[in-house]
Amino acid sequence: MKYLFTSLVMLACMALCFAEPENPAIESPSPEAIVDIQIEAYNQGDIDAFVATFARDVKTYAHPNTLQISGVEDLKKVYAGFFNANPELHAEVTGKIIQGNFVIYHEFVTGVAGGEDFFATAIYEVLDGKIQNIWFVQ
């Protein structure tokens, strides 16, 4: 009886070792996927979905280091106005480079009210599943 009890305890311990965890780690989307979600929200003019892709302390720069926007609240204010003023706004990704947590997109932007279509290069830095920094090259 003693051996039966010991065997059952050992089997129970082994079962726990090989069991799937109750809360498996959820793999976060890739940096490219995060930026793609941001581009889609931009094209839809969906300010809430757009802002959700950014870190709270996001910074945007005119390349190389001219600070344009600092913080998600500033970003939301600027882009909400931009989306409202340009309902036909659309960015098409025409080229891309992915290197680690950096996503570099060459974009063709159309639908700027009263303006001309233009090409831009955006260098996105994604950390912990959020866009932390963007450098715009024009």
Side-chain angles (χ1 to χ4, degrees):
M1 187 64 115
K2 178 178 172 185
Y3 293 111
L4 178 61
F5 178 73
T6 304
S7 296
L8 288 174
V9 169
M10 287 179 60
L11 284 172
C13 288
M14 288 177 62
L16 288 174
C17 290
F18 293 105
E20 292 291 323
E22 285 184 30
N23 295 319
I26 297 172
E27 192 172 316
S28 63
S30 69
E32 181 180 9
I34 298 294
V35 174
D36 286 345
I37 292 166
Q38 178 262 162
I39 292 282
E40 183 63 28
Y42 177 96
N43 287 339
Q44 293 177 2
D46 184 340
I47 192 63
D48 292 326
F50 180 78
V51 169
T53 63
F54 291 91
R56 295 207 56 73
D57 57 345
V58 62
K59 291 186 176 35
T60 72
Y61 301 90
H63 189 272
N65 60 2
T66 303
L67 183 64
Q68 296 174 317
I69 294 174
S70 181
V72 76
E73 293 304 320
D74 190 22
L75 179 97
K76 185 173 186 174
K77 179 180 163 189
V78 169
Y79 276 89
F82 192 58
F83 291 165
N84 287 333
N86 302 284
E88 300 299 318
L89 192 62
H90 184 81
E92 178 184 349
V93 177
T94 60
K96 58 174 81 174
I97 298 172
I98 314 302
Q99 182 70 42
N101 62 320
F102 287 91
V103 177
I104 305 167
Y105 278 3
H106 190 245
E107 303 169 6
F108 184 59
V109 180
T110 59
V112 178
E116 293 186 24
D117 300 342
F118 61 93
F119 283 97
T121 300
I123 304 167
Y124 301 91
E125 182 180 23
V126 179
L127 299 173
D128 298 323
K130 299 285 185 179
I131 299 169
Q132 183 67 57
N133 295 296
I134 307 173
W135 293 267
F136 292 105
V137 182
Q138 287 185 319

